[in-house]
């Protein structure tokens, strides 16, 4: 598999590390990870660095994950790049909002590395 | 039709939901099997407390509390790193545990999952402090053990619509 460049957006540095570890365990060995602590930081990363995959939390201060998704579209950033939401919010309404905002997948916290693999690999392979 | 929790108090306050949430979060995120045990009290002088607020259909909070040593072990298990002091990474990790506990707990009741928001976690550290909540609508307060470590999780509900 070619090198995968992933952007992980979460206000928790610990969660960013856990997601990175799960991506490595998913078999994405050639992995380059960019990190952002909020949606606003994520947008700044996307303006300067090309990525193949975005994983974002929803509940974040400054700019939450749904607004981050909307801004990606409004600003025409990361076109065609799959976004997966990783969040504690798991109701159908939250999933619907995320999909409407442009998310391609949804992972509920707590999660296993296997769940991350199941959601991420098909999207990465299709890209 | 407006959603109300008034007729579902027993379901919302079912203590089994909290036990299932704690076991799920610790098993999936930390690969730790922990069990509820009656009579456990965190008595360490130095402790770590994380609080995540509920808002919307239910207002209140989820509170996680452990001694400093237990918090260090949980953070080490989460990150694969070793810690010898309660630094920002440890606080961040404990805050995330509390966030996932709150999310898993409210996810057990469909009306709550869709109509109750979570605050970002606040983490309190220090010695010899007590938390007091005035006249809650209901409160669940459970102690859990894994290995030699113990921690407490409290759900406080101070209002329901």
């Amino acid at each position: 598999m070619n090198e995968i460049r992933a952007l992980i957006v979460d206000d928790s540095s610990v969660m960013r590390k856990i997601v990175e570890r799960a991506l490595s365990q998913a078999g994405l060995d050639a992995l380059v990870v960019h990190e952002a602590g909020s949606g606003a930081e994520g947008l700044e990363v996307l303006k300067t660095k090309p990525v193949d995959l975005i994983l974002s939390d929803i509940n974040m201060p400054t700019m939450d994950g749904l607004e981050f998704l909307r801004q990606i579209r409004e600003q025409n950033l990361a076109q065609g790049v799959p976004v997966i939401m990783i969040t504690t919010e798991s109701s159908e309404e939250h999933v619907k909002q995320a999909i409407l905002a442009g998310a391609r997948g949804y992972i509920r916290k707590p999660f296993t590395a296997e769940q991350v693999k199941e959601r991420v690999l098909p999207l990465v392979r299709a890209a | 039709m407006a959603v109300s929790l008034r007729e579902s108090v027993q379901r919302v306050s079912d203590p089994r939901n909290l036990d299932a949430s704690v076991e799920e979060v610790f098993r999936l995120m930390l690969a730790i099997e922990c069990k509820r045990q009656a009579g456990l009290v965190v008595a360490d002088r130095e402790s770590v407390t994380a609080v995540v607020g509920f808002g919307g259909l239910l207002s209140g909070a989820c509170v996680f509390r452990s001694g400093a040593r237990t918090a260090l072990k949980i953070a080490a298990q989460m990150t694969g790193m070793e810690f010898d002091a309660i630094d920002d990474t440890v606080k961040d990790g404990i805050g995330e545990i509390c966030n996932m506990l709150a999310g898993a707990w409210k996810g057990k009741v469909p009306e709550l999952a869709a109509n109750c928001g979570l605050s970002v976690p606040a983490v309190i550290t220090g010695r010899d402090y007590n938390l007091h909540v005035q006249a809650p609508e209901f409160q669940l307060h459970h102690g859990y053990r894994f290995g030699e470590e113990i921690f407490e999780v409290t759900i406080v509900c101070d209002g329901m619509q």
Side-chain angles (χ1 to χ4, degrees), chain B residues 35-48:
Chain B
K35 287 290 172 201
R36 181 178 168 192
Q37 193 173 320
L40 288 180
V41 177
V42 174
D44 309 47
R45 281 196 68 203
E46 186 176 5
S47 64
V48 179

Side-chain angles (χ1 to χ4, degrees), chain B residues 32-106:
Chain B
I32 286 175
E33 295 292 338
C34 63
K35 287 290 172 201
R36 181 178 168 192
Q37 193 173 320
L40 288 180
V41 177
V42 174
D44 309 47
R45 281 196 68 203
E46 186 176 5
S47 64
V48 179
T49 300
V51 182
V52 170
F54 297 115
L57 207 52
L58 177 146
S59 62
C62 174
V63 182
F64 171 96
R65 182 163 185 250
S66 77
R69 188 189 68 182
T70 302
L72 296 176
K73 286 203 173 176
I74 289 171
Q77 190 73 15
M78 283 179 92
T79 60
M81 299 156 63
E82 289 299 321
F83 299 94
D84 53 16
I86 305 293
D87 63 12
D88 286 346
T89 304
V90 176
K91 291 180 213 167
D92 182 15
I94 297 300
E96 268 306 308
I97 288 289
C98 190
N99 183 41
M100 286 185 277
L101 291 173
W105 178 77
K106 82 177 178 99

Side-chain angles (χ1 to χ4, degrees), chain B residues 18-19 22 35-36 40 142-145 149-151 153:
Chain B
L18 180 55
D19 295 339
V22 171
K35 287 290 172 201
R36 181 178 168 192
L40 288 180
H142 297 179
Y144 299 89
R145 174 185 291 282
E149 310 302 326
I150 64 171
F151 61 91
V153 181

Side-chain angles (χ1 to χ4, degrees), chain A residues 10-15 17-18 21 57 59-61 88-91 93-94 108-112 115, chain B residues 24-25 28-29 77-80 89 92-93 96 99-100 103-104 106-107 113-114 116-118 120-121:
Chain A
D10 198 308
D11 55 321
S12 162
S13 63
V14 169
M15 283 310 303
K17 290 292 169 216
I18 289 172
R21 197 168 56 197
D57 187 15
N59 282 340
M60 292 182 287
T88 52
E89 300 288 5
S90 59
S91 72
E93 185 56 32
H94 284 105
R108 186 176 79 83
K109 297 178 191 173
F111 55 80
T112 62
Q115 287 169 330
Chain B
E24 178 188 341
V25 168
L28 294 183
M29 297 308 292
Q77 190 73 15
M78 283 179 92
T79 60
T89 304
D92 182 15
E96 268 306 308
N99 183 41
M100 286 185 277
K106 82 177 178 99
C116 179
L118 301 179
V120 293

Side-chain angles (χ1 to χ4, degrees), chain B residues 11-32:
Chain B
R11 202 154 42 90
V12 175
S13 60
D14 186 339
R16 291 172 298 186
N17 286 347
L18 180 55
D19 295 339
S21 303
V22 171
E23 286 166 18
E24 178 188 341
V25 168
F26 274 71
R27 188 180 68 251
L28 294 183
M29 297 308 292
L30 305 173
I32 286 175

Side-chain angles (χ1 to χ4, degrees), chain A residues 56-73:
Chain A
S56 176
D57 187 15
I58 288 185
N59 282 340
M60 292 182 287
T62 316
M63 180 189 292
D64 71 21
L66 295 177
E67 183 58 24
F68 172 55
L69 272 175
R70 292 184 197 107
Q71 288 296 323
I72 288 175
R73 287 212 295 199

